[in-house]
Amino acid sequence: MPTVGVNRDKLFEKLGKVYTDEEFDHLCFEYGIELDDVTSEKEMLRKELASAMAKGGDNKLAAEAAAASEEVIYKIDIPANRYDMLCVEGIARALNIFRGTQAAPEYRLADMSGEG
């Protein structure tokens, strides 16, 4: 399963509702996806820095970690066959349709024969 990192606040804005981490985890479970991790860009860089330092790495990551954002990032496991959910807009659309707050899109077969 691909893991997609999305900004929590942008996702909640598109969902039109603010959830606690537990409530959002439950919504994901009901829909059939998994909230894998709740983190931030700064926290991800700190983990990378600790790993690099343990291996004798450079201090370049320290400067990046200090300047990184504290915005919350949800890492969500998406089924491999759901290409439509590989971005925040796709995840929000799918969850809004599931919650009944948005109508499902209607697709029509186009006549490509050139006749008529």
Side-chain angles (χ1 to χ4, degrees):
M1 282 189 177
T3 301
V4 178
V6 297
N7 180 292
R8 178 195 63 187
D9 297 334
K10 288 181 183 174
L11 177 62
F12 287 172
E13 179 183 325
K14 292 184 181 304
L15 290 174
K17 183 176 179 182
V18 175
Y19 294 90
T20 65
D21 292 341
E22 293 79 23
E23 290 171 335
F24 187 73
D25 186 38
H26 183 72
L27 175 63
C28 288
F29 177 78
E30 286 180 329
Y31 184 73
I33 57 179
E34 181 181 351
L35 178 59
D36 185 49
D37 193 16
V38 179
T39 187
S40 71
E41 185 178 293
K42 187 171 262 189
E43 186 60 31
M44 289 188 297
L45 284 172
R46 278 190 204 132
K47 289 177 186 176
E48 236 179 273
L49 177 62
S51 175
M53 293 306 245
K55 296 176 184 175
D58 62 64
N59 289 329
K60 181 182 174 189
L61 285 175
E64 289 180 29
S69 171
E70 286 285 353
E71 292 180 349
V72 177
I73 297 173
Y74 279 171
K75 293 200 162 207
I76 303 171
D77 283 338
I78 303 295
N81 64 341
R82 292 300 305 265
Y83 300 109
D84 61 314
M85 294 180 66
L86 294 178
C87 61
V88 67
E89 293 84 2
I91 294 169
R93 182 183 62 232
L95 292 175
N96 279 332
I97 292 168
F98 176 73
R99 292 173 38 235
T101 59
Q102 179 179 341
E106 288 186 34
Y107 300 102
R108 296 192 182 121
L109 185 59
D111 181 9
M112 303 300 288
S113 66
E115 299 172 15

